[in-house]
Amino acid sequence: MTERTPLLHYRLSASVTDAESRPQHKLSTFFGVVVPTLLSMFSVVVFLRIGFVVGQSGLYQTFGMLLVAYFIICMTVLSVCAISTNGALDAGGAYCILSVQQRPSLCSALPLYPVYICSSLLHPRAPPLTAAPDRHDQPSPGTRVCGQHVLPTGYWWSLLYATAILLVCLLVCLVGAHIYARATFLIFIIVIVVLCTIFISFFAVAPRSIAVPSLNSSVLSSANFTGFKLETLLGNLYADYSVDYTTGITMTFATVFAVMFNGCTGIMAGSNMSGDLKNPSYSIPRGTITAVIFTFVTYIVLSLLVACSCERLLLQRDYSFLRDINAWRPFVTIGVYSSTLSAAMSNLIGASRILYALARDDLIGRVLSPAKKTSRGGNPWVAVLISWFLVQLVLFSGKLNTIASIVTIFFLLVYAAVDLACLALEWASAPNFRPTFRYFTWHTCMLGIVGCAVMMFLINAIYASASIAFMLLLLLVIHYLSPTSSWGYITQALIFHQVRKYLLMLDVRKDHVKFWRPQVLLMVANPRSSVGLITFINDIKKSGLYVLGHVTLGDLDSLPSDPLQSRYESWLSLVDRLNIKAFVNLTLADSVRHGVQHLLFISGLGGMRPNTLVLGFYDDCDPKDLLQDPPAQSAIFPDSLAASQDVEEQLPLQFPALRSMAINGGGKVLGPGEYVAIIADAVKMLKNVVLARYFCHFDRTEALSQRGEPLYVDVWPLNLLRPDSSSYVDTCSLFLLQMACVLNMVRAWRRARLRLFLCVEEGRSLRGPEGKLGHLLRDLRITADVHTVPWDQVVALHWQRQDAAAAARARHNTARLSDDYLQAVNRLILHQSCPLPAVRFLYLPRPPADTHRYLTYLHQLDLLTRDLGPTLLIHGVTPVITTDL
């Protein structure tokens, strides 16, 4: 017998897919991760915002901001490294990291695409194209960078520049990842050279005065580049927040921190190339950590050099001062344009990879199916074109500051989702979570989540709250509308972990009658004819355990494999289709009786075990297939049919044909004596027993949808097979009353009225057991209409056929009841059924001890309940009602 595990199947199919569709040119750690991450984290911040941060916050607070920002980033990097080394990664970057680990985190992975689209337009339309314009956005005289525009300005000029940059990015991304890697490496060399010239210029350039704009007039003032001086350093140590000369807004710690933190994002740039890397699990952790360390050291050193050599006025009034103090001024301009181009390319190619992954997974239907197309080398060129077109459309937006804040917040939300994914995997303690990168704990994940959340609200509390609300809404949409897939569900691992913990805490020794609830094991011979009963018992379980049990006859020794495994999926699909909250338990046994015994012994776990056995009644009613005709399905469970339509298409219900429709005319596999023996076994095991008759044609929707007409549930608490009995308050009667009350507490059955029928003899005072029962109903807060039913003539049919000795024996032997008496009781019940009740609850006596009387016992039950409609015969063995609080 050939065996193939899902892991082996994945590896075998992946190898074929890799050979046929993946790119032939694979990127190394340096070209695929280090270079894109470095350029994405640097962008234009390293050239235009370092002086702004030091000038406003001072060197001490700048170091503090960098430490805090990189602490948050490093916590997320540790999570990325852990997840990326826990198995093979495909294309999609952060989306792939989140989706392959846990489906609920897709609510944070999906916004990645629009975030990268918006981020792609921020860089081409950002201020680098105009060299630090003043706050009035008017050209200033002179040749200095501050206040003077290098290129023509205006909305359409800016749109033209951005379009040109995007066109270059499009051409590079269309060719493929290997050209992108070469282009980014060339830009990386340029940026590194520019940074080297900046560092050298601090030592090589002589002190000089630089013209800076004035806040209150168009007249230029001057500020000094002093070279390395202790006095300059001391003047830049502490914070001095002032008005920003480009916006006219007074800066604060929060606003400056938000600007600086924007330069620390971009750690996912290397992860976005996961589908183009030779070894993603090896390259992503090493490349990302290398890039983070390099950028951190660069920011620290550059901040220190700026604080030691530039006056605060220069830092606050001239964002492009690095150009003025450079040995060759065009170097900085080249670096600004190069970093802008690289950041735009990085976001565009990252967006296309995420779009391709979304289309490949069919997460939002067939809308994105064109984006699945790739070139021979595996480049998703259609996704690139779609992404470029969307960026070009969004370029017409002029509110870049608003978009920048939203993009940063969504990036932080994605980082928090990565930390949450790693935290969930760690807490779930799944054996298959074995990342080769071990330098993380749940503490680092939690610190990353808290840090990202704090930064989100620090940047903009309103946008942060709105983004979280949007994520929660998206989570609900994905949960209810996304198709069923074979992805791993981290929620299942977490639920298992928590359920196991709380099951151990659920101590059966602490059970109390005050908190009793029905925990039902419903035995189902064939679900095709049991839909009405299955849905009804789902109502009566009252948030308790509900198990669908089935016995398959056979001997495992004579079978090649377990026949139940292939049927289990159909049973689970049935649960989904009927929209019920139930478990499924199947067993293989040599007889139905032994199978039911097995299920009563082993069903449940810990304190969650069935206390009530429900059986269909043993009669000759022809079963009706309610799972074959679609109109019948919609009549029984209309709300759940549409929601589970996809499940039905994928997993058809493969149940055997009913005995009346079988080709060989197959009969029952259970005899009447064995059926009563099952009831006796359950009573011996202290299980409550419920026999359900005439539910094969029960239509829950029809019974509950009769608006304007009264809905009744009839309860007969007297043991009608013991006409000499006058007790209405024994354990079985109270259990029967409790079950009827439980049904009445269900929302769908809340409008039903309970009718309690008391059989009395004429002239008998109601102050006896009947009066006690009425008082008990008030104590138990049970609302019911009590009806007294005279039955002298019915009882007479029994006693007139018995002599004194026989009557004495009848007190202990139900076999002596006559058919005339039982038929009279049946007519009495039918006579009291106006209007007709939706369901009846009757007293089920204990089976006789003598096994030879089992058939007589079943015959008596048949006569008693014949033609009564949906009826429950209930026998309770445990106290379930108390008046204590």
Side-chain angles (χ1 to χ4, degrees):
M1 179 178 62
T2 303
E3 294 183 358
R4 177 178 291 181
T5 66
L7 181 60
L8 290 176
H9 177 71
Y10 166 76
R11 293 299 183 187
L12 291 172
S13 61
S15 63
V16 176
T17 304
D18 290 346
E20 294 179 352
S21 62
R22 286 197 172 185
Q24 298 177 356
H25 302 280
K26 292 295 184 176
L27 303 179
S28 63
T29 302
F30 181 76
F31 289 101
V33 181
V34 176
V35 172
T37 306
L38 276 176
L39 294 178
S40 183
M41 295 186 71
F42 275 150
S43 64
V44 296
V45 175
V46 70
F47 300 110
L48 296 179
R49 291 301 188 180
I50 285 296
F52 162 79
V53 175
V54 176
Q56 297 287 346
S57 302
L59 186 62
Y60 286 157
Q61 288 194 12
T62 299
F63 283 170
M65 290 180 181
L66 287 171
L67 289 174
V68 172
Y70 271 84
F71 176 79
I72 296 173
I73 292 299
C74 287
M75 296 301 102
T76 303
V77 168
L78 294 179
S79 299
V80 171
C81 295
I83 296 179
S84 62
T85 58
N86 187 50
L89 287 180
D90 206 342
Y95 169 81
C96 181
I97 289 176
L98 289 170
S99 63
V100 300
Q101 297 297 336
Q102 55 168 7
R103 187 185 181 110
S105 64
L106 291 179
C107 66
S108 295
L110 276 179
L112 275 174
Y113 183 67
V115 166
Y116 275 108
I117 292 295
C118 294
S119 185
S120 298
L121 71 93
L122 286 178
H123 297 284
R125 290 204 61 178
L129 291 174
T130 59
D134 60 19
R135 65 190 179 100
H136 301 289
D137 201 23
Q138 297 293 333
S140 301
T143 57
R144 297 293 182 185
V145 172
C146 59
Q148 181 177 353
H149 299 277
V150 178
L151 296 174
T153 60
Y155 173 81
W156 294 107
W157 282 108
S158 179
L159 183 61
L160 178 62
Y161 303 147
T163 302
I165 291 177
L166 281 178
L167 186 59
V168 174
C169 297
L170 172 64
L171 294 177
V172 173
C173 295
L174 280 177
V175 175
H178 62 289
I179 298 298
Y180 165 77
R182 294 178 183 178
T184 53
F185 178 69
L186 178 60
I187 296 174
F188 172 74
I189 295 298
I190 295 174
V191 171
I192 294 299
V193 170
V194 173
L195 284 176
C196 291
T197 62
I198 291 175
F199 288 133
I200 294 173
S201 297
F202 281 107
F203 299 91
V205 175
R208 63 179 64 176
S209 296
I210 302 173
V212 296
S214 176
L215 292 177
N216 299 322
S217 66
S218 59
V219 178
L220 297 178
S221 57
S222 63
N224 296 320
F225 169 71
T226 64
F228 293 103
K229 284 188 177 182
L230 180 60
E231 181 182 355
T232 305
L233 175 62
L234 295 177
N236 290 325
L237 289 179
Y238 300 99
D240 182 18
Y241 295 104
S242 62
V243 177
D244 179 23
Y245 78 96
T246 62
T247 62
I249 300 175
T250 302
M251 295 292 100
T252 62
F253 177 86
T255 55
V256 175
F257 192 20
V259 171
M260 189 276 302
F261 188 82
N262 191 43
C264 300
T265 58
I267 58 174
M268 293 291 187
S271 302
N272 290 335
M273 304 301 298
S274 58
D276 302 298
L277 298 174
K278 292 180 180 178
N279 189 349
S281 298
Y282 176 87
S283 299
I284 290 176
R286 289 165 176 80
T288 305
I289 292 175
T290 301
V292 168
I293 294 175
F294 185 84
T295 55
F296 177 73
V297 173
T298 302
Y299 281 132
I300 290 291
V301 173
L302 190 56
S303 300
L304 181 61
L305 293 177
V306 167
C308 292
S309 59
C310 300
E311 289 184 349
R312 186 179 292 270
L313 183 63
L314 176 62
L315 301 178
Q316 292 180 343
R317 301 288 178 84
D318 188 2
Y319 294 162
S320 59
F321 73 97
L322 290 177
R323 174 175 176 162
D324 294 313
I325 66 173
N326 198 275
W328 189 53
R329 292 178 181 175
F331 264 136
V332 176
T333 303
I334 295 173
V336 168
Y337 292 157
S338 299
S339 61
T340 298
L341 181 62
S342 68
M345 262 195 308
S346 175
N347 285 287
L348 182 60
I349 198 168
S352 64
R353 267 47 180 180
I354 293 174
L355 179 61
Y356 170 70
L358 287 170
R360 181 193 57 198
D361 291 339
D362 290 325
L363 192 63
I364 54 179
R366 301 178 180 178
V367 179
L368 300 178
S369 56
K372 297 179 183 179
K373 296 182 180 180
T374 60
S375 63
R376 292 183 178 180
N379 185 38
W381 60 274
V382 177
V384 172
L385 286 175
I386 294 175
S387 301
W388 168 81
F389 178 74
L390 293 177
V391 174
Q392 190 65 49
L393 287 180
V394 184
L395 272 177
F396 289 96
S397 172
K399 299 181 179 180
L400 297 183
N401 290 334
T402 301
I403 295 177
S405 300
I406 295 175
V407 167
T408 302
I409 288 174
F410 271 109
F411 269 123
L412 286 170
L413 198 58
V414 172
Y415 296 163
V418 173
D419 290 318
L420 180 62
C422 189
L423 177 67
L425 290 169
E426 180 70 10
W427 276 356
S429 301
N432 282 326
F433 183 58
R434 299 188 298 269
T436 57
F437 183 88
R438 297 302 303 169
Y439 300 101
F440 78 99
T441 65
W442 70 268
H443 304 86
T444 61
C445 302
M446 186 65 72
L447 288 174
I449 295 173
V450 173
C452 291
V454 171
M455 274 304 307
M456 287 170 55
F457 285 93
L458 192 62
I459 293 173
N460 192 306
I462 296 178
Y463 292 161
S465 303
S467 63
I468 293 175
F470 175 72
M471 290 300 101
L472 295 177
L473 178 62
L474 193 58
L475 174 61
L476 294 176
V477 172
I478 293 176
H479 178 73
Y480 288 106
L481 299 183
S482 61
T484 303
S485 70
S486 58
W487 295 348
Y489 292 80
I490 186 61
T491 51
Q492 296 298 306
L494 290 173
I495 291 172
F496 178 88
H497 185 270
Q498 293 300 109
V499 167
R500 180 191 63 85
K501 181 174 70 175
Y502 286 112
L503 275 177
L504 292 173
M505 298 171 60
L506 190 59
D507 193 345
V508 294
R509 296 169 295 183
K510 298 179 181 179
D511 285 345
H512 194 275
V513 65
K514 290 187 295 185
F515 309 110
W516 180 90
R517 67 183 70 234
Q519 303 194 76
V520 180
L521 170 63
L522 171 62
M523 297 304 304
V524 180
N526 193 328
R528 294 187 178 278
S529 60
S530 306
V531 172
L533 180 58
I534 293 174
T535 55
F536 179 79
I537 298 301
N538 185 65
D539 287 338
I540 211 172
K541 69 181 188 303
K542 186 55 180 175
S543 301
L545 179 67
Y546 184 20
V547 180
L548 299 180
H550 174 74
V551 178
T552 299
L553 297 182
D555 186 2
L556 192 60
D557 292 337
S558 60
L559 297 173
S561 62
D562 184 5
L564 302 179
Q565 297 298 323
S566 59
R567 303 179 185 179
Y568 197 72
E569 290 291 338
S570 294
W571 282 86
L572 294 180
S573 181
L574 174 72
V575 171
D576 294 335
R577 178 186 291 190
L578 299 181
N579 196 22
I580 61 175
K581 298 177 181 179
F583 298 95
V584 175
N585 211 340
L586 311 180
T587 188
L588 186 69
D590 57 352
S591 67
V592 176
R593 180 183 181 185
H594 289 165
V596 175
Q597 290 177 353
H598 295 166
L599 293 177
L600 286 175
F601 278 124
I602 67 175
S603 292
L605 196 63
M608 294 188 65
R609 293 184 178 276
N611 55 30
T612 303
L613 173 66
V614 180
L615 301 171
F617 196 79
Y618 193 94
D619 55 23
D620 295 325
C621 292
D622 291 332
K624 181 181 179 181
D625 192 348
L626 299 177
L627 291 178
Q628 187 178 27
D629 186 16
Q633 298 172 10
S634 60
I636 296 172
F637 37 91
D639 297 334
S640 61
L641 182 63
S644 60
Q645 186 175 2
D646 294 336
V647 178
E648 295 178 30
E649 293 176 356
Q650 298 176 10
L651 297 174
L653 302 181
Q654 299 176 353
F655 297 113
L658 297 175
R659 63 175 183 268
S660 61
M661 303 177 183
I663 298 177
N664 56 1
K668 299 180 180 180
V669 297
L670 178 68
E674 186 180 7
Y675 175 81
V676 179
I678 292 174
I679 301 175
D681 292 340
V683 174
K684 293 177 183 178
M685 299 169 68
L686 298 181
K687 305 294 183 182
N688 309 298
V689 179
V690 178
L691 305 183
R693 190 172 191 184
Y694 295 119
F695 278 88
C696 54
H697 303 294
F698 177 75
D699 191 334
R700 178 180 180 273
T701 303
E702 181 180 350
L704 298 176
S705 61
Q706 298 177 358
R707 297 296 179 183
E709 298 183 8
L711 181 65
Y712 293 103
V713 175
D714 289 357
V715 181
W716 295 76
L718 180 66
N719 185 358
L720 297 175
L721 298 189
R722 291 279 303 275
D724 58 321
S725 174
S726 60
S727 175
Y728 289 98
V729 291
D730 63 358
T731 299
C732 187
S733 298
L734 294 179
F735 180 83
L736 183 149
L737 185 62
Q738 176 79 329
M739 295 298 287
C741 182
V742 167
L743 178 65
N744 191 224
M745 294 172 67
V746 178
R747 178 178 301 178
W749 293 85
R750 197 164 293 171
R751 69 183 185 92
R753 294 285 300 177
L754 295 183
R755 295 190 300 188
L756 189 63
F757 293 93
L758 304 183
C759 298
V760 297
E761 299 179 12
E762 292 183 357
R764 185 175 179 180
S765 175
L766 293 178
R767 295 181 181 180
E770 297 83 358
K772 294 181 181 180
L773 182 59
H775 180 71
L776 182 62
L777 291 177
R778 291 190 296 270
D779 289 343
L780 296 176
R781 293 86 59 202
I782 297 177
T783 303
D785 300 330
V786 180
H787 298 268
T788 58
V789 180
W791 71 327
D792 300 73
Q793 296 179 357
V794 175
V795 176
L797 291 175
H798 169 70
W799 294 115
Q800 69 185 0
R801 295 176 180 271
Q802 307 289 334
D803 53 18
R809 289 194 302 271
R811 296 179 182 272
H812 306 284
N813 188 1
T814 59
R816 299 296 181 178
L817 293 175
S818 65
D819 290 353
D820 292 340
Y821 165 74
L822 294 171
Q823 292 171 355
V825 173
N826 178 264
R827 289 191 297 270
L828 176 68
I829 297 175
L830 287 173
H831 181 70
Q832 301 297 326
S833 301
C834 185
L836 192 67
V839 63
R840 292 181 177 87
F841 288 75
L842 271 62
Y843 190 114
L844 175 67
R846 187 186 183 102
D850 188 356
T851 58
H852 295 91
R853 297 172 183 161
Y854 278 178
L855 298 183
T856 303
Y857 171 79
L858 186 58
H859 174 70
Q860 293 172 354
L861 297 180
D862 174 59
L863 292 178
L864 178 66
T865 59
R866 184 169 295 176
D867 300 326
L868 290 185
T871 303
L872 295 180
L873 290 162
I874 299 177
H875 181 80
V877 296
T878 56
V880 295
I881 287 181
T882 179
T883 57
D884 297 335
L885 294 178

